[in-house]
C-alpha cells in the first residue's frame, strides 16, 4: 500500500473527511561563479500536508515522518486543531478523470554530477570563446518530483516529473547586473548555440548604458519579463479575489479587457516541465482559455471558491505564491502553466518601427507594486531602443503602468520562449507606457 | 534526537571538515481572510543538513530520513573532491573557537505556553478592529509562530544545542472606492515574546484608517526629488541598498565589487554609521549562535562614512582575510546556511525631523516599508504612503510610491540623519542565488532614524 493511502487509512476513522498531499523530491544543483565551480547542493527530502474535516471544521498540518509515533502525533495535532478549525462547506475531491501527462524522463536518474559539471563548463567555455573577459555565473540543476494525493473519498493519484535546467548570467563590467539565459527540459540537454550567441550579443549591446527621457513610450516585455504581467493577471482572475470583491475583473466575464491580440491559456496537460495532472487538492487539471482575443472567459477556482460560486473547480488549487508558497501553504487559485498565444510579427519587425522605447527583461521591486489593482511599477533591467535599433542597456529608469488600462494596444511576437510562469510566452509590446528616467 | 549521536557521526568522518545541523521545527499559522477563518495549522517537521569540505572543494545537502544521511555525506564528499580537481581556487575555512554550549530561550511570555484558542481570539480581535473601520473592504491577517530546536556539530568538536523562536501578528488591510485599491501592511511582534503582541489594537485601527484615507490621495508624480525616509523605510533602504552588498558571499566572486568595496573605502558622508548586530535580541534578527556554530557579534559596517567591516562566513572570512562575524544562517534544514544580515541599522545622527522638513523646497516624506529588491548596486523599494513637501512644509498625502537608485551615489546623497533610531517589528528578507534556492528569512531585522536623501528617482506619471 502506498504511503499516502496508509496515512489516510490511519486518520480517517477519526474525521469526517481527510486528504493528504505527499511530496518526494530529489534535487541536485551545481553552481559556478566567475567561471569557477562554487558549490554542489543535493537535497533528498519528503513532506506531506494533511487537511482533515470534522463537524464542518477543517484542520491543516504538515509533517515529514510516517513512522507510527509521528503519525500518532499528527493525529493528536489534527484533533486539537479541528476543535478551533476553519469553517468549511465544501468536500474534498471526488473526481478521478485524470489525464495522462508524460513529463518524466527516466534518464534523469542516470545523469551524474560530473556530467552536470561538464555541461556547466561547456557553457562557460563557449561564452569565453566569444567573450573572454566576461564574469560568468552558471547553474546546472536536475530534479525529480513525485506527488501523491489521496483522500477518504477513495481518490488516489500520483504524478512524477523530472527537470534538467541550466542558467547562465553574464555580469556587466564593474556592475552587479547583467544579462542571462534560461533553458529547461525533462532530461539532460545541451544548451543551443542560438541561446549562447544571443546572450553574448545582448551582453555586448548592454555594455553601453542609456537613461531615457521621462515620458510615454513603447515597452516590450520579453518572455521572462512578462512575469510581472502574469502575476498581476493571476490576482485579477483568481476567484478568491473576485469573491472578496478586490479583483478589478469581478463582473467582467465576457467583456473585452485587453487587445484582441492577447490570448492567455492555462495548459497543464502538456509534456513539459510545467505540466500537472492534478492540482494540490487532487482535482484533475485540464487545459483552458482564460482570456480569448482580449475577452475574459473565466476565473480560476479551487474547491472552496468553486463551492462558493456554485461552479466546478478548475483544477487550479495550488500552493503557490510570489512569496511563501510550498507545502506549508494552503491551496488557493493559481495558474498551472500560463501560455500566451503568439502573434504573427517577428520581434525584429516590432523593434524596427520603434522610435524610442524600452525592452523589459526584469522589473526590480515589482513586488512592491499595487498589483491587486493591476499596477506594475519597478526599476527596469533591460534594453534601450532608439530609431529602430537596440542601442544598449537601460540605466536608472522606472516603469509605471496598469495592465487593465494600458494593454488595449499591443503587438505580440511570433517567437516564444519559456517564461517564469509558463512554457510558452511571446514578446509583447505595450504601446504607451510611463517611464521615469532623466 | 541525541546531540552526541551527531557529534560522533561528524567527528568520525574522514574529510578535512564536515558539519551537520539537525532541526525539529514547529510552525503555527492562523489566517483570517476578511471575516472568515481561512487557515489554522500546526506543522511539525524535522530534518538535517550536511556540509563537507574536502581537498579544497565542498558539497552540501539536506535530508529528512536519517538513514539517508550516510549515503548523502559520501556523495557530497565525492562532489567536493571532484570539484576541487578542476578548480584553481581551493576553499579554506577561517578558524573558529570550538564551542560546547546550550542556548535555551526564556521569553517573558513563551508562545508555547499560550493555547491555540487564545492565539486565534487575539488575531480575530485585531482583524475585527481593522474590518470595523468604515471604508475597509477586506483584510488578510495572520498569526505566525516559528520555533526551531537545532543541534549543530562539526568535525572540530563543536556541539551547540540552540533554539530559535519568532512570533508575529500581521497582514494587509485593503480599502477600495471608485476603482481605486489601496492596501496597508501591519505587523507586530518580531521576537520570541508573545507579550509583545498584546494590547496593540491602536496600530490596527490607525493603519485601517490610513488605508481608507489613501483612497482620496493622489499618486506620486514621477521624477527626481529630495526625500525624507521614515525609520521603517530607511531601514529597508539600508538593508536593500547597502546591506546585501556587505554580505561577503554576494560579491565574493565579483572582482569589480570586491575592488569597489575594499575596507577603508569612503562610501558615504561623515555622518553615516551603519552596523549589523544580532545581540539585540528583542528585534527580529537577534540570535546567539549562527548556523555555522559561530557566536553572533556586532559588526561595524560603515564608520563615519568609511567602510569598516562586512558580514562573513568562515569560508569568506578566510578568502578575504577578514574576521569571522557569525552571520551564516539557514531558514530551515532544507537549505545550506548563507550570509545574512541579522539586525542592520543606521546609527543615530543629530538632526531633527523638523530640521529635515524645513530644508526641502520640493520633495516627499516617505512612510512605511513595502518591500524592496536589490541587484548588484541597483535597488528599488516601495512605500505605503507619503506626503508632499513644499517650501519647507508637509503638504498633502500621496499614494503608490516606488523609488529606485544606485548604491554608491545614493549613500553619498544621505545628507541628514535623525536622532530617533527605531527598529521595525517585521522581519523578512528573501535571498537566493548563493548556494541554492531562495531563502525567505523572517529573522532579519532593520532599523534607522529618519534620514534625508537627495536625488532619489520616484516612479510614476509625470
Amino acid at each position: 500500500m502506498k504511503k499516502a493511502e496508509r496515512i489516510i487509512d490511519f486518520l480517517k476513522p477519526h474525521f469526517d473527511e481527510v486528504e493528504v498531499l505527499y511530496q518526494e523530491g530529489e534535487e541536485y544543483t551545481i553552481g559556478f561563479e566567475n567561471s569557477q565551480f562554487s558549490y554542489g547542493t543535493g537535497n533528498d527530502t519528503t513532506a506531506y500536508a494533511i487537511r482533515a474535516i470534522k463537524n464542518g471544521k477543517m484542520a491543516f498540518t504538515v509533517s515529514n515522518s510516517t513512522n507510527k509515533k509521528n503519525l500518532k502525533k499528527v493525529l493528536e495535532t489534527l484533533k486539537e486543531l479541528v476543535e478551533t478549525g476553519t469553517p468549511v462547506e465544501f468536500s474534498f475531491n471526488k473526481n478521478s478523470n485524470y489525464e495522462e501527462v508524460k513529463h518524466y524522463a527516466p534518464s534523469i536518474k542516470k545523469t551524474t554530477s560530473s556530467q552536470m559539471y561538464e555541461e556547466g563548463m561547456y557553457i562557460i567555455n563557449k561564452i569565453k570563446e566569444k567573450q573572454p573577459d566576461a564574469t560568468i555565473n552558471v547553474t546546472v540543476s536536475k530534479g525529480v518530483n513525485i506527488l501523491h494525493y489521496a483522500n477518504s473519498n477513495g481518490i488516489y493519484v500520483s504524478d512524477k516529473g523530472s527537470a534538467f535546467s541550466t542558467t547562465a548570467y553574464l555580469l556587466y563590467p564593474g556592475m552587479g547586473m547583467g544579462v542571462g539565459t534560461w533553458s529547461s527540459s525533462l532530461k539532460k540537454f545541451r544548451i543551443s548555440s542560438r541561446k549562447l550567441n544571443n546572450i553574448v550579443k545582448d551582453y555586448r549591446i548592454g555594455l553601453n548604458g542609456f537613461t531615457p527621457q521621462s515620458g510615454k513610450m513603447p515597452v516590450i516585455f520579453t518572455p521572462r519579463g512578462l512575469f510581472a504581467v502574469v502575476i498581476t493577471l493571476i490576482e485579477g482572475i483568481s476567484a478568491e479575489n473576485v469573491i472578496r470583491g478586490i479583483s478589478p475583473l469581478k463582473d467582467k466575464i465576457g467583456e473585452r479587457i485587453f487587445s484582441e491580440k492577447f490570448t492567455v491559456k492555462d495548459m497543464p496537460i502538456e509534456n513539459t516541465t510545467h505540466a500537472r495532472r492534478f492540482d494540490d487538492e487532487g482535482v484533475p487539471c485540464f487545459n483552458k482559455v482564460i482570456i480569448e482575443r482580449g475577452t475574459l472567459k473565466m476565473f480560476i477556482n479551487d474547491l472552496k471558491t468553486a463551492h462558493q460560486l456554485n461552479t466546478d473547480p478548475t483544477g487550479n488549487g495550488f500552493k503557490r505564491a510570489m512569496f511563501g508558497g510550498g507545502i506549508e501553504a494552503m491551496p488557493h487559485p493559481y495558474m498551472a502553466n500560463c501560455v500566451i498565444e503568439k502573434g504573427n510579427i517577428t520581434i525584429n519587425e516590432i523593434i524596427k518601427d520603434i522610435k524610442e522605447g524600452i525592452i523589459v527583461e526584469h522589473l526590480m521591486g515589482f513586488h512592491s507594486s499595487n498589483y491587486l489593482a493591476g499596477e506594475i511599477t519597478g526599476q527596469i533591467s533591460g534594453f534601450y531602443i532608439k530609431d529602430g535599433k537596440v542601442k544598449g542597456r537601460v540605466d536608472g529608469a522606472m516603469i509605471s503602468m496598469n495592465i487593465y488600462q494600458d494593454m488595449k494596444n499591443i503587438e505580440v511576437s511570433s517567437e516564444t520562449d519559456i517564461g517564469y510562469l509558463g512554457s510558452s510566452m511571446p514578446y509583447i509590446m505595450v504601446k504607451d507606457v510611463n517611464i521615469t528616467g532623466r | 534526537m541525541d546531540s552526541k549521536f551527531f557529534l560522533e557521526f561528524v567527528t568520525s568522518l574522514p574529510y578535512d571538515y564536515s558539519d551537520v545541523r539537525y532541526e525539529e521545527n514547529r510552525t503555527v499559522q492562523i489566517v483570517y481572510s476578511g471575516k472568515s477563518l481561512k487557515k489554522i495549522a500546526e506543522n511539525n517537521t524535522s530534518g538535517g543538513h550536511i556540509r563537507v569540505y574536502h581537498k579544497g572543494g565542498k558539497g552540501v545537502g539536506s535530508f529528512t530520513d536519517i538513514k539517508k544521511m550516510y549515503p548523502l555525506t559520501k556523495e557530497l564528499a565525492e562532489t567536493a573532491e571532484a570539484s576541487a580537481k578542476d578548480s584553481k581556487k581551493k576553499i579554506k575555512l577561517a578558524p573558529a573557537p570550538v564551542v560546547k554550549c546550550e542556548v535555551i530561550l526564556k521569553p517573558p511570555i513563551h508562545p508555547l505556553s499560550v493555547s491555540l484558542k487564545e492565539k486565534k481570539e487575539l488575531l480575530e480581535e485585531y482583524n475585527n478592529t481593522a474590518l470595523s473601520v468604515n471604508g475597509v473592504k477586506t483584510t488578510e491577517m495572520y498569526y505566525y509562530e516559528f520555533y526551531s530546536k537545532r543541534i549543530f556539530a562539526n568535525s572540530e568538536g563543536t556541539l551547540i544545542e540552540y533554539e530559535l523562536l519568532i512570533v508575529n501578528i500581521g497582514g494587509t488591510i485593503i480599502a477600495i472606492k471608485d476603482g481605486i485599491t489601496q492596501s496597508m501592511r501591519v505587523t507586530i511582534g518580531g521576537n520570541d515574546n508573545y507579550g509583545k503582541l498584546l494590547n496593540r489594537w491602536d496600530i490596527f485601527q490607525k493603519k485601517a484608517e490610513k488605508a481608507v484615507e489613501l483612497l482620496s490621495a493622489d499618486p506620486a508624480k514621477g521624477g527626481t526629488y529630495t526625500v525624507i525616509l521614515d525609520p521603517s523605510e530607511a531601514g529597508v533602504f539600508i538593508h536593500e541598498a547597502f546591506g546585501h552588498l556587505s554580505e561577503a558571499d554576494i560579491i565574493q566572486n565579483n572582482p569589480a565589487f570586491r575592488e569597489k568595496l575594499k575596507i577603508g573605502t569612503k562610501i558615504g558622508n561623515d555622518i553615516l554609521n551603519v552596523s549589523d548586530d544580532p545581540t539585540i535580541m528583542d528585534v527580529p534578527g537577534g540570535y546567539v549562535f549562527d548556523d555555522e556554530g559561530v557566536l553572533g557579534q556586532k559588526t561595524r559596517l560603515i564608520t563615519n562614512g568609511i567602510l569598516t567591516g562586512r558580514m562573513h562566513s568562515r569560508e569568506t572570512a578566510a578568502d578575504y582575510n577578514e574576521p569571522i562575524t557569525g552571520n551564516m544562517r539557514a531558514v530551515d534544514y532544507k537549505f545550506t546556511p548563507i550570509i545574512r544580515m541579522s539586525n542592520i541599522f543606521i546609527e543615530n545622527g543629530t538632526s531633527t525631523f523638523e530640521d529635515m522638513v524645513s530644508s526641502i523646497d520640493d520633495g516627499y516624506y516617505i512612510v512605511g516599508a513595502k518591500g524592496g529588491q536589490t541587484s548588484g548596486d541597483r535597488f528599488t523599494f516601495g512605500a505605503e504612503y507619503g506626503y508632499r513637501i513644499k517650501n519647507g512644509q508637509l503638504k498633502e498625502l500621496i499614494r503608490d510610491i516606488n523609488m529606485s537608485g544606485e548604491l554608491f551615489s545614493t549613500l553619498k546623497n544621505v545628507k541628514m540623519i535623525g536622532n530617533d533610531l527605531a527598529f521595525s517589528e517585521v522581519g523578512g528578507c528573501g535571498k537566493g542565488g548563493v548556494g541554492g534556492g531562495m531563502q525567505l528569512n523572517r529573522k532579519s531585522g532593520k532599523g534607522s532614524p529618519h534620514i534625508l536623501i537627495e536625488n532619489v528617482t520616484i516612479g510614476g506619471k509625470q
Side-chain angles (χ1 to χ4, degrees), chain B residues 381-401:
Chain B
F381 50 100
E384 290 190 309
Y385 61 97
Y387 296 90
R388 195 75 205 238
I389 301 174
K390 282 274 189 192
N391 303 319
Q393 289 190 318
L394 281 181
K395 296 290 184 186
E396 70 275 13
L397 186 68
I398 300 291
R399 64 178 165 90
D400 297 342
I401 302 165

Side-chain angles (χ1 to χ4, degrees), chain A residues 174-198:
Chain A
M175 301 179 72
M177 55 189 286
V179 291
T181 185
W182 294 260
S183 308
S184 71
S185 181
L186 301 178
K187 60 184 179 184
K188 185 168 99 55
F189 64 90
R190 176 142 283 181
I191 189 170
S192 69
S193 301
R194 181 183 60 83
K195 285 210 166 190
L196 288 171
N197 290 337
N198 282 347

Side-chain angles (χ1 to χ4, degrees), chain A residues 28 33 61 64 86 328 377, chain B residues 37 39 42 46 79 253 402:
Chain A
Y28 194 80
E33 289 177 358
T61 191
N64 57 1
T86 313
E328 294 191 9
T377 56
Chain B
L37 178 64
K39 178 181 182 181
E42 180 187 315
S46 56
T79 299
N253 294 308
N402 216 322

